[in-house]
Amino acid sequence: MSVETKVEYEIVIGLEIHAELSTESKVFCGCRTTFGADPNSLVCPVCLGLPGSLPVLNRKAVEYAIKAGLALNCEIARYSKFDRKQYFYPDLPKAYQISQYDLPLCRNGWVEFEINGEVRRVGINRVHLEEEAGKSVHSGERLLGSEYSLIDYNRGGIPLIEIVTEPDLRSPEEARVFLEQLRQILLFTGVSDVKMEEGSLRCDANISLRPKGSTKFGAKTEVKNLNSFRSVQRALEYEAQRQREVLESGGTLYQETRHWDENRGVTVAMRSKEEAHDYRYFPEPDLVPLVVDEAWIERLRAELPELPRARQARFVEQYGLPRYDAEVLTTSPQLADFFEACVAEYGQAKPVSNWIMGEFLRLLKAEGKAVEQVQVSPKGLADLLRLIDQGVINANVGKEVFEEMFHTGKEPGAIVKERGLEQISDTAALAAIVDQVIAANPDAADNVRNGEMKAIGFLIGQVMKQTGGKANPKVVQALLRERLLGG
Amino acid sequence: MALYDLTAHELRQQLDSGELTSRELTEALLRRIEQLDGTLGAYITVAAEEALEQARAYDEARAKGEATHPLGGIPVALKDNLVTRGLRTTAASRMLENWVPPYDATVVERLRSVKAPVLGKTNMDEFAMGGSTETSAFKVARNPWDLERVPGGSSGGSAIAVAAGLAVWALGSDTGGSIRQPAAFCGVVGMKPTYGRVSRYGLIAFASSLDQIGPFTRDVTDCALALNLICGFDPRDSTSVNLEVPDFTKALRVEPKGLRIGVPVEYLNQPVDPDVRASVDRALKLLEENGAVIKEVSLPSLQYALHVYYLIASAEASSNLARFDGVRYGLRVPAADVPRMMEETRSKGFGPEVKRRIILGTYVLSAGHYDAYYKKASQVRTLMRRDFDQAFKEVDVLFAPTTSSTAFRLGEKTRDPLSMYMTDYFTIPVNLAGLPGLSLPCGVDKDGMPIGLQIIGPPFGEEQVLKAAYTYEQLAWPNGAGRQWRAGREVAVDVR
């Protein structure tokens, strides 16, 4: 019997990401792309693939795809073309998808992201432009076996980019973090809503294992139906483990497509390489080749906004913010814009950051709102901070005022006036209340007298309660010390 | 001469002078359709009410001085692969037997805009695949010159309608000769414009990179008028070319002197019926006598044209026809599940010729075959364009027979697809190179069947083609183009 040394495996992952572009109209016709409209209300002969209809390329969709390519550090092809990818499925009205095969619009890019304090770079093989299919709704789990299925073609023809990475990812966690970074880049570039839950961002993953140190790839599995960032990581963890077990038990892996079952937490075999579709790609004869000139690319490059990692770095550098603050404030371009507008009004960065990361995000999350839906103006937040600085209100009242600003968009000064929230700093007015509190809480007062300073906080709280939170806490503390400790 | 025998430009005078209304003309043609179409099988659908309504609208507009287009009020027939809003469009297939489109093809919009009454939708080979109209799922089409012969195809119904006076003019589509070949067989003028000249929007696609819409008319003048109406850039068709459209009637000049005519040697070496050859030679001689210069040119890549065509056209067809799956419109044959429903629908909905091409096209696009077939064919196609470009450096137009023989007998080639495919030998290269090509009558054979002369021009050289065609037409028949052909045809229909 020979002694077996356990082989250590390296995980190799590459992703294929589909992102719907947020153009106003579809990629080959003039239909709107509004999400959630009545089924089959945003359709025409072209996106329904009626006999005789022809596609016409949406210029904006090309621009968005180029912008995405530039944001992913790709080379933009001066000459590309469209091809038909052919397969039969009820939600595919022409029985082919207009896509790009051998001459994609963008290629050879990269994305950097940070994981566990280390910067990693993933190659982008290509980004190409294609059209969405319609959406099937089955009475059962899937098409086969359902009593009936309904199809909504509103989604059919919405522009889509497919982003294919190189097999550069080395762990399921890395795959998830990369995908989050990619999502953020697309969000900042403004080309896609990238909502995984609405399906405007979708991801398939290719995963294989190989002995550590080997340069050859193992047989890969394509995992489909990854509907959230979490499921990307979970499915890949499951799949890596499954493959490892097969290899360790002396088995052989074959190239196949597997379906992630979110509920059961397993991947299920869908089809083998032999059963794979032959898409019979050929050049789309209804469209002419796409020629992009240098000037167009440069114009689009100039329109690119500052991307998330660059903006984070600048926030740390320019505003002296902690890294964590910079990361939180750059989760969306709208939030980052709001932060910078507030700083411009107020002058100091850290207090603005604290308020945004605290109250603002708390309310946003509680109400399920997006930054751009909120009524608070940058000037409003700056005014509020100044009211606190000037002692007109205290910080706690400030939160109350902010909540009303958040809901109504009113100016903080007006709210304070209307509701009489000005801080009471008048010693004479507070002295009477302080005396009352001391009288009503003799035990606490004694504790303070005996040097138990924790009790003074309790007494301050009682005074605040009596004044509806408006007492100036500094003045109250001074009065209490004077009364109980003799100054 | 009967109303139904007049050309559009002759009728124009009567309509303008007020001695004839569009309604009277439309009624006369509808009566003729009623009398003869049971025999001829030119129409799949006759749209009498709609046509009369459009004629009435035209007459009203004319009374107010608002209708000014030369083809306004003149009844026209449409091949049944041109999509018409509210009017059944079948492509002569069971698959679309009851399909009523919700939109108009661009060319149909243009006809409506000048108030040209549409008499109906004409018979054709199923999805335009065929050269005799015999693959139509609905009815037999007969050549008005000899009812036992085919009218040609695929636009056979449109050719019959114009030849037999069941429409003043008609539209067809030409993928490998589907306008020019039936025009030749039926003794009328038929033209395929340059690829990109006429919008394909609303033409049910057979082979997208080859399809082109064009007119059937009774003479070259009407052809020019029809081109004026249908040509031009359409933002809905990305392959339509944004080029200014000239007034094609300006090309209608008799100018044989100095006209440089090329004759491809590859065509000369092809087996051709002696009567056809003699007629084409006579036409060349007539022009030469009047000062034209005849020159042999060589287009070596032509020898591959037929192969290249059947690879590319079938590949594109297999893709274009995949949408007929029973899900959204047209025929649906119920079955236990969706894949079987699609299979059953496609099995029952398509005829044998369409299936043959889908199978061929699917095969050539399959993994492992693409490079050897489709890609190679595309490369040869590029060479072919180059050969034509070279030839047009030396000559203004090319002359050739439209077909190697006159109309064959019904059933003669239906069991032998290859011999049927061969009938497109002379017309196919024009589609592959995207050139304008016209066929016009140039005589009859020993059986009295019409012979077609094909005139080919460089890309967007429609004016050169029309000028050469008009020159020949006027020199050959100074007293009115093709009158004698009509007389010959009358005999055939009357004998019946």
Side-chain angles (χ1 to χ4, degrees):
Chain A
M1 206 175 135
S2 64
V3 179
E4 285 190 24
T5 47
K6 195 162 173 161
V7 183
E8 223 184 302
Y9 289 105
E10 178 180 47
I11 301 173
V12 178
I13 298 169
L15 301 182
E16 285 174 26
I17 299 107
H18 286 93
E20 282 182 3
L21 299 179
S22 49
T23 51
E24 298 263 311
S25 57
K26 293 185 179 181
V27 62
F28 297 121
C29 65
C31 290
R32 302 283 96 186
T33 54
T34 325
F35 182 79
D38 284 345
N40 296 310
S41 62
L42 306 175
V43 293
C44 74
V46 177
C47 57
L48 285 178
L50 292 189
S53 66
L54 296 169
V56 175
L57 183 58
N58 178 341
R59 187 183 178 88
K60 209 69 212 185
V62 174
E63 297 198 338
Y64 279 23
I66 292 175
K67 276 187 167 179
L70 291 172
L72 303 177
N73 304 294
C74 289
E75 297 158 12
I76 308 303
R78 297 293 183 280
Y79 179 95
S80 70
K81 68 173 172 66
F82 291 88
D83 301 274
R84 292 184 182 178
K85 179 181 181 178
Q86 313 192 67
Y87 59 96
F88 287 97
Y89 203 76
D91 66 15
L92 192 66
K94 300 185 293 293
Y96 56 80
Q97 177 194 32
I98 303 178
S99 180
Q100 296 193 291
Y101 184 52
D102 55 341
L103 296 173
L105 189 51
C106 323
R107 58 193 340 166
N108 297 332
W110 49 266
V111 169
E112 275 181 356
F113 65 101
E114 220 177 290
I115 182 164
N116 306 325
E118 193 194 332
V119 175
R120 294 270 291 119
R121 179 180 280 208
V122 169
I124 300 295
N125 176 284
R126 60 188 281 161
V127 179
H128 72 247
L129 183 57
E130 58 187 26
E131 61 180 336
E132 266 281 28
K135 202 179 165 83
S136 302
V137 183
H138 309 302
S139 65
E141 284 253 319
R142 48 204 293 187
L143 176 65
L144 285 174
S146 282
E147 194 186 338
Y148 65 88
S149 295
L150 301 170
I151 310 166
D152 179 6
Y153 291 101
N154 282 355
R155 200 182 70 172
I158 288 179
L160 206 59
I161 46 173
E162 180 175 327
I163 301 165
V164 182
T165 76
E166 298 294 348
D168 290 346
L169 295 157
R170 290 292 172 266
S171 76
E173 186 195 6
E174 212 169 88
R176 176 184 53 78
V177 175
F178 160 77
L179 191 60
E180 285 168 354
Q181 177 65 32
L182 179 74
R183 176 186 174 276
Q184 219 179 358
I185 292 173
L186 295 176
L187 194 65
F188 270 64
T189 313
V191 298
S192 174
D193 296 335
V194 285
K195 291 181 181 155
M196 273 191 113
E197 63 282 14
E198 281 181 15
S200 61
L201 182 72
R202 300 193 293 273
C203 178
D204 298 331
N206 289 301
I207 176 167
S208 61
L209 259 50
R210 65 180 172 192
K212 212 155 196 150
S214 165
T215 50
K216 266 175 49 188
F217 292 119
K220 69 175 177 184
T221 300
E222 185 180 7
V223 187
K224 289 187 173 288
N225 195 40
L226 306 175
N227 294 322
S228 66
F229 295 102
R230 189 168 156 267
S231 63
V232 169
Q233 183 168 344
R234 273 183 73 206
L236 289 173
E237 277 164 357
Y238 172 87
E239 186 57 22
Q241 184 57 29
R242 188 191 69 82
Q243 292 188 9
R244 192 175 290 121
E245 280 166 15
V246 171
L247 292 173
E248 281 172 355
S249 65
T252 311
L253 289 164
Y254 298 97
Q255 188 177 326
E256 62 177 342
T257 302
R258 298 179 72 86
H259 182 91
W260 168 244
D261 186 329
E262 180 82 41
N263 295 328
R264 289 165 52 209
V266 297
T267 63
V268 186
M270 267 173 83
R271 53 177 177 261
S272 69
K273 191 185 176 188
E274 285 68 35
E275 297 164 305
H277 290 298
D278 176 0
Y279 290 120
R280 287 174 286 118
Y281 280 101
F282 80 107
E284 166 58 281
D286 287 332
L287 291 169
V288 291
L290 174 58
V291 176
V292 179
D293 66 18
E294 192 67 40
W296 195 13
I297 297 172
E298 287 318 308
R299 183 170 67 69
L300 293 171
R301 198 191 298 276
E303 283 176 23
L304 272 191
E306 191 179 21
L307 295 174
R309 278 176 55 79
R311 205 159 183 184
Q312 275 167 27
R314 183 169 61 79
F315 278 15
V316 171
E317 173 94 354
Q318 181 179 343
Y319 300 118
L321 291 178
R323 266 208 68 85
Y324 176 74
D325 287 35
E327 272 172 28
V328 172
L329 292 172
T330 54
T331 45
S332 85
Q334 290 81 8
L335 187 66
D337 289 347
F338 182 69
F339 165 75
E340 294 210 85
C342 291
V343 174
E345 286 285 340
Y346 182 65
Q348 295 175 57
K350 184 58 184 164
V352 169
S353 170
N354 290 345
W355 271 81
I356 290 181
M357 286 172 53
E359 283 307 288
F360 185 72
L361 288 182
R362 183 181 69 77
L363 288 167
L364 213 57
K365 199 176 168 198
E367 314 256 316
K369 278 189 174 166
V371 176
E372 58 272 25
Q373 292 171 303
V374 172
Q375 310 236 32
V376 180
S377 68
K379 182 173 177 303
L381 180 59
D383 286 347
L384 178 68
L385 294 183
R386 278 192 284 265
L387 287 175
I388 296 168
D389 292 347
Q390 291 157 8
V392 178
I393 54 173
N394 63 40
N396 273 334
V397 171
K399 287 180 186 172
E400 212 178 296
V401 173
F402 186 75
E403 192 157 348
E404 186 168 345
M405 291 165 66
F406 189 89
H407 290 124
T408 64
K410 276 190 193 160
E411 288 304 308
I415 296 170
V416 168
K417 251 206 198 84
E418 253 176 49
R419 294 175 43 186
L421 294 174
E422 285 97 339
Q423 186 162 253
I424 307 169
S425 304
D426 178 7
T427 314
L430 288 176
I433 300 169
V434 166
D435 289 341
Q436 264 177 33
V437 166
I438 290 172
N441 298 282
D443 293 353
D446 281 343
N447 288 342
V448 176
R449 289 191 187 96
N450 296 333
E452 248 187 72
M453 293 316 288
K454 253 200 289 180
I456 204 166
F458 170 76
L459 293 172
I460 294 172
Q462 292 304 305
V463 175
M464 296 307 271
K465 207 171 164 187
Q466 295 274 322
T467 59
K470 294 187 294 187
N472 183 332
K474 281 182 192 146
V475 177
V476 174
Q477 187 170 26
L479 282 167
L480 282 167
R481 282 173 172 276
E482 186 191 293
R483 296 279 198 283
L484 300 174
L485 302 173
Chain B
M1 194 175 310
L3 271 184
Y4 57 76
D5 253 346
L6 296 174
T7 61
H9 59 92
E10 288 161 344
L11 290 162
R12 175 87 264 134
Q13 295 166 4
Q14 297 192 25
L15 286 167
D16 285 349
S17 69
E19 62 186 286
L20 176 70
T21 65
S22 175
R23 190 179 175 89
E24 287 163 355
L25 176 58
T26 305
E27 279 170 347
L29 290 168
L30 287 169
R31 273 198 302 277
R32 183 141 172 103
I33 291 169
E34 204 170 312
Q35 283 164 7
L36 295 179
D37 203 44
T39 305
L40 293 170
Y43 286 89
I44 290 174
T45 306
V46 176
E49 264 178 50
E50 293 92 329
L52 289 170
E53 173 56 30
Q54 186 71 282
R56 193 192 52 76
Y58 169 81
D59 288 333
E60 261 176 30
R62 200 199 67 83
K64 287 189 248 166
E66 286 164 5
T68 53
H69 194 275
L71 293 175
I74 294 181
V76 58
L78 301 178
K79 188 177 183 178
D80 207 18
N81 59 355
L82 293 166
V83 167
T84 43
R85 183 186 192 117
L87 180 59
R88 184 174 78 131
T89 301
T90 69
S93 178
R94 294 275 170 225
M95 193 60 96
L96 290 175
E97 191 166 2
N98 297 305
W99 186 54
V100 178
Y103 77 105
D104 272 332
T106 296
V107 289
V108 176
E109 275 182 358
R110 290 191 174 208
L111 292 174
R112 293 204 204 277
S113 74
V114 303
K115 299 188 168 57
V118 172
L119 294 164
K121 308 297 291 289
T122 60
N123 204 357
M124 55 185 280
D125 283 298
E126 184 178 6
F127 284 105
M129 297 175 191
S132 65
T133 312
E134 288 168 294
T135 71
S136 167
F138 300 120
K139 51 168 81 170
V140 177
R142 296 176 184 276
N143 191 310
W145 295 71
D146 178 344
L147 298 174
E148 293 314 312
R149 296 186 195 236
V150 301
S154 65
S155 316
S158 288
I160 299 168
V162 175
L166 309 187
V168 181
W169 67 289
L171 284 178
S173 68
D174 189 317
T175 305
S178 283
I179 290 174
R180 288 158 293 156
Q181 186 250 35
F185 281 8
C186 292
V188 296
V189 175
M191 181 161 195
K192 180 202 95 73
T194 308
Y195 185 79
R197 238 332 171 198
V198 182
S199 169
R200 291 185 295 115
Y201 189 78
L203 167 65
I204 298 178
F206 160 14
S208 313
S209 74
L210 300 161
D211 296 342
Q212 189 65 183
I213 297 168
F216 289 89
T217 57
R218 300 220 176 94
D219 67 6
V220 178
T221 303
D222 275 7
C223 182
L225 291 171
L227 289 188
N228 276 354
L229 180 58
I230 64 171
C231 291
F233 175 65
D234 179 7
R236 288 177 297 193
D237 175 1
S238 310
T239 63
S240 90
V241 176
N242 197 350
L243 204 67
E244 208 181 322
V245 180
D247 176 359
F248 290 112
T249 60
K250 294 231 163 71
L252 301 174
R253 303 190 302 271
V254 182
E255 286 174 7
K257 225 174 182 59
L259 177 69
R260 298 175 304 164
I261 301 171
V263 180
V265 285
E266 289 74 14
Y267 280 169
L268 292 173
N269 296 336
Q270 198 57 23
V272 169
D273 178 285
D275 291 353
V276 172
R277 175 152 288 170
S279 275
V280 174
D281 285 348
R282 264 200 306 279
L284 285 165
K285 192 148 178 286
L286 176 66
L287 288 162
E288 194 172 24
E289 284 164 3
N290 283 276
V293 183
I294 315 289
K295 209 178 151 163
E296 277 189 13
V297 295
S298 178
L299 303 157
S301 60
L302 235 53
Q303 57 183 309
Y304 306 113
L306 205 64
H307 311 81
V308 166
Y309 173 82
Y310 277 95
L311 292 174
I312 289 177
S314 305
E316 293 182 7
S318 73
S319 176
N320 285 329
L321 270 60
R323 70 188 65 194
F324 302 103
D325 57 9
V327 174
R328 290 157 301 274
Y329 46 78
L331 183 70
R332 175 188 290 180
V333 180
D337 57 40
V338 171
R340 266 177 282 185
M341 181 278 283
M342 289 180 174
E343 283 167 20
E344 288 290 312
T345 299
R346 292 171 67 77
S347 297
K348 298 229 162 57
F350 291 136
E353 182 59 31
V354 171
K355 285 179 189 161
R356 183 159 26 240
R357 308 233 189 164
I358 290 174
I359 291 168
L360 178 60
T362 305
Y363 178 78
V364 306
L365 290 178
S366 299
H369 299 298
Y370 178 86
D371 285 354
Y373 293 122
Y374 190 85
K375 193 171 169 200
K376 184 68 89 187
S378 301
Q379 288 165 339
V380 176
R381 195 174 174 186
T382 306
L383 293 180
M384 210 168 289
R385 285 205 192 95
R386 226 173 272 168
D387 279 356
F388 275 110
D389 284 348
Q390 202 58 38
F392 284 117
K393 281 182 187 156
E394 298 171 43
V395 298
D396 302 312
V397 287
L398 296 170
F399 272 39
T402 307
T403 55
S404 57
S405 71
T406 55
F408 46 90
R409 297 191 174 279
L410 284 161
E412 191 179 324
K413 294 181 196 277
T414 44
R415 276 194 192 77
D416 182 2
L418 283 182
S419 78
M420 186 75 89
Y421 294 174
M422 283 298 289
T423 66
D424 294 335
Y425 188 88
F426 290 96
T427 47
I428 274 172
V430 174
N431 299 78
L432 287 171
L435 308 174
L438 176 148
S439 176
L440 82 166
C442 70
V444 291
D445 69 3
K446 59 186 181 308
D447 297 331
M449 294 303 291
I451 294 166
L453 166 67
Q454 184 178 206
I455 304 177
I456 303 162
F460 302 99
E462 279 84 0
E463 288 164 287
Q464 281 154 260
V465 173
L466 287 169
K467 194 176 90 176
Y470 187 75
T471 298
Y472 167 71
E473 183 188 65
Q474 298 302 313
L475 289 175
W477 300 288
N479 300 321
R483 284 271 142 80
Q484 52 271 64
W485 312 132
R486 290 183 222 168
R489 177 256 301 151
E490 278 304 306
V491 175
V493 179
D494 289 349
V495 165
R496 177 82 179 205

